[in-house]
Amino acid sequence: MSTTSSPAEQPVLRDTIAGVRVADLARSHGTPLYVYDAEIIRRRCRDLAAWDTVRFAQKACSNLAVLALVRSEGVMVDAVSTGEIHRALAAGYAAHAAKAPATDGLPPVHPIVYTADIFDRESLDAVAKHGIHVNCGSADMIEQVAERVPGAEITLRVNPGFGHGHSQKTNTGGEGSKHGIWHGEIPEVLRRAEWAGLAVTGLHMHIGSGTDLAHLAEVAGALERVAGEIGRSLTTISAGGGLPVPYKPGEVHADLSGYFQLWDTTRRRLEDRFGHRLRLEIEPGRYLTAESGFVITEIRAVKKQGGRKYLLVDAGFNTLARPVLYGSYHPMSLCPQAGAASETLEEVAVGGPLCESGDIFTQTDGGFVATRPLPPAAVGDYLVIEIAGAYGFVMASNYNSKPLPAEVLVDGGKARLVRARQTPEDLVRGECV
Ligand SMILES: *Cc1c(COP(=O)(O)O)cnc(C)c1O
């Protein structure tokens, strides 16, 4: 694999992804190309085996092949839209829980949960038609679901009054967030649920992606207080998502066992109080797929703007939006077309093809163009943008009438196309003159 490390100790040269040559992937499927390493996804699912239920927040990476892969690992799924409900069903998930209690003495698990702050008309239809369990992020959803699914069991998503997130745009708690039911409103919301004839069986808090487990752990305390208000109808508590992954040099994986211990203690205290078992769920998106994903791009121009050197590649923020949206850092590595690259590094900015000055992969929060140390590159070399498996393809767009890229899943040394690149016909489908 990689042979050279930057001073920042991340590999800057890469020949293969999951044992398959980058150049072969690029030649077979074209660029820009999303590639996922199945084994990394499996490993991340297994890291969380201590939890009763791992529920994949599929919005991070919702390709059917990825959903089928996590399903084969026993992972359940979260859906935030009608489209995601359809994806979960298409990937083989059952719509609702089995009637028989689980053999482990825990309450039954909902294979698919619809989590949102609203029902649009389509999602309410889909939930009613398939009998999908609902996690309500607004009190108005209670009467809406009650009308269509009388006597339903529901989960409440509660905003504990504080939040977290790697940027203001990903913070999902506190007054600055639109998400969840405000913690102070719980007594009133419970009256509404009772009046509507619904049983509150689940409690869920998700305050957003962070890097700080101590902060994420505060949620456990807040959840315990709200659980006490809901009482014995509860069967399931969810810690939400937000497990971080290391993107930048020096960042490390979180202490998963410490995090689990903390939640398990909360769960056991509530079990003692209620006199029955509680299912403990975690709902990661990023954690399961981020590190599995790579974007292979081809360098199409190398130029100097005054004193600064730019590599221009065939992927843009239409392909991977996180840098322009959040100033996110993604590691990058070079795969030279011809022979070994020089070991010396030079500072370069990396941009894409879009007619927009923000189309820069090496930018910091606030949109400032930064640079990255990479080996000298030439037109025709491949540049691999790494840790792109979460909020990558799913945020890709057709801006500038660029087709969505293909997606490939590599498993056991074999690369399989799991989504074809869009065609020019796809780009104008449904339009007329
Ligand atoms: C996005 C989301 C998640 C996953 O967040 P990550 O930071 O990717 O782990 C979990 N639950 C809900 C409800 C979400 O909206």
Side-chain angles (χ1 to χ4, degrees):
M1 283 231 314
S2 313
T3 52
T4 306
S5 281
S6 74
E9 287 172 27
Q10 269 178 341
V12 292
L13 284 173
R14 171 180 289 281
D15 294 331
T16 61
I17 294 171
V20 180
R21 293 177 60 82
V22 169
D24 291 346
L25 289 162
R27 275 194 285 269
S28 304
H29 301 287
T31 55
L33 176 70
Y34 270 89
V35 180
Y36 308 105
D37 179 343
E39 200 47 40
I40 294 180
I41 297 176
R42 280 195 199 98
R43 216 179 298 148
R44 292 293 163 256
C45 292
R46 290 171 193 176
D47 286 349
L48 301 173
W51 299 73
D52 302 328
T53 305
V54 179
R55 184 175 300 286
F56 179 41
Q58 65 168 294
K59 73 174 196 281
C61 185
S62 58
N63 185 288
L64 292 183
V66 171
L67 296 186
L69 176 64
V70 302
R71 188 173 84 85
S72 72
E73 289 294 310
V75 168
M76 303 296 147
V77 72
D78 187 63
V80 297
S81 68
T82 319
E84 288 194 355
I85 290 173
H86 288 146
R87 283 183 177 279
L89 294 170
Y93 282 98
H96 41 74
K99 286 271 183 308
T103 48
D104 49 11
L106 289 167
V109 63
H110 304 290
I112 307 172
V113 172
Y114 173 80
T115 297
D117 294 305
I118 64 156
F119 287 117
D120 51 36
R121 307 261 166 204
E122 293 74 22
S123 57
L124 189 51
D125 287 344
V127 158
K129 176 176 172 205
H130 299 289
I132 307 282
H133 184 80
V134 172
N135 179 7
C136 301
S138 300
D140 289 316
M141 293 172 74
I142 290 171
E143 288 82 13
Q144 291 164 356
V145 74
E147 191 184 322
R148 299 290 296 275
V149 192
E153 297 183 346
I154 56 169
T155 293
L156 299 181
R157 175 177 182 174
V158 174
N159 178 337
F162 57 87
H164 199 24
H166 60 74
S167 106
Q168 192 47 42
K169 290 173 192 160
T170 59
N171 173 30
T172 59
E175 283 188 25
S177 166
K178 66 172 181 169
H179 292 296
I181 294 169
W182 189 252
H183 60 110
E185 309 259 298
I186 291 301
E188 165 64 12
V189 166
L190 291 173
R191 274 193 292 277
R192 281 172 72 170
E194 194 178 355
W195 184 253
L198 304 186
V200 177
T201 56
L203 176 58
H204 171 275
M205 280 185 192
H206 169 71
I207 60 165
S209 291
T211 49
D212 177 0
L213 275 189
H215 195 141
L216 286 173
E218 278 182 40
V219 181
L223 184 135
E224 194 173 339
R225 283 192 295 279
V226 177
E229 294 182 70
I230 296 174
R232 296 195 66 247
S233 64
L234 269 189
T235 63
T236 304
I237 57 173
S238 173
L243 280 182
V245 301
Y247 284 95
K248 287 187 183 161
E251 291 179 354
V252 293
H253 278 107
D255 169 18
L256 293 178
S257 85
Y259 189 56
F260 172 76
Q261 289 307 327
L262 182 136
W263 274 96
D264 192 38
T265 305
T266 300
R267 178 255 297 273
R268 284 172 199 283
R269 269 205 301 268
L270 286 168
E271 283 180 340
D272 285 346
R273 187 157 161 187
F274 296 152
H276 63 242
R277 306 267 344 246
L278 285 177
R279 181 175 287 279
L280 177 58
E281 297 200 358
I282 188 167
E283 198 173 69
R286 180 184 318 284
Y287 185 78
L288 296 190
T289 59
E291 295 155 289
S292 77
F294 302 80
V295 181
I296 303 179
T297 72
E298 186 183 339
I299 296 169
R300 299 302 303 161
V302 180
K303 63 180 178 182
K304 269 200 153 160
Q305 311 285 60
R308 185 174 286 165
K309 194 164 178 183
Y310 283 80
L311 305 181
L312 298 187
V313 299
D314 58 5
F317 72 65
N318 57 307
T319 318
L320 176 69
R322 296 187 72 251
V324 72
L325 279 178
Y326 315 117
S328 301
Y329 178 102
H330 285 270
M332 292 176 192
S333 53
L334 188 75
C335 175
Q337 278 269 45
S342 155
E343 299 270 316
T344 55
L345 300 179
E346 57 180 14
E347 289 291 328
V348 290
V350 178
L354 302 180
C355 288
E356 183 148 338
S357 50
D359 188 23
I360 295 287
F361 288 112
T362 49
Q363 63 180 287
T364 55
D365 203 6
F368 300 101
V369 178
T371 58
R372 198 63 71 78
L374 284 171
V379 169
D381 289 351
Y382 299 114
L383 182 84
V384 181
I385 306 176
E386 311 200 351
I387 317 187
Y391 308 104
F393 180 91
V394 290
M395 285 185 156
S397 78
N398 287 129
Y399 189 44
N400 281 207
S401 287
K402 294 279 190 181
L404 294 179
E407 293 174 285
V408 163
L409 182 69
V410 182
D411 198 2
K414 295 221 163 38
R416 183 162 67 89
L417 181 68
V418 294
R419 190 190 211 275
R421 179 178 310 282
Q422 280 188 325
T423 63
E425 295 73 44
D426 291 331
L427 287 176
V428 293
R429 180 154 300 137
E431 295 180 36
C432 48
V433 285

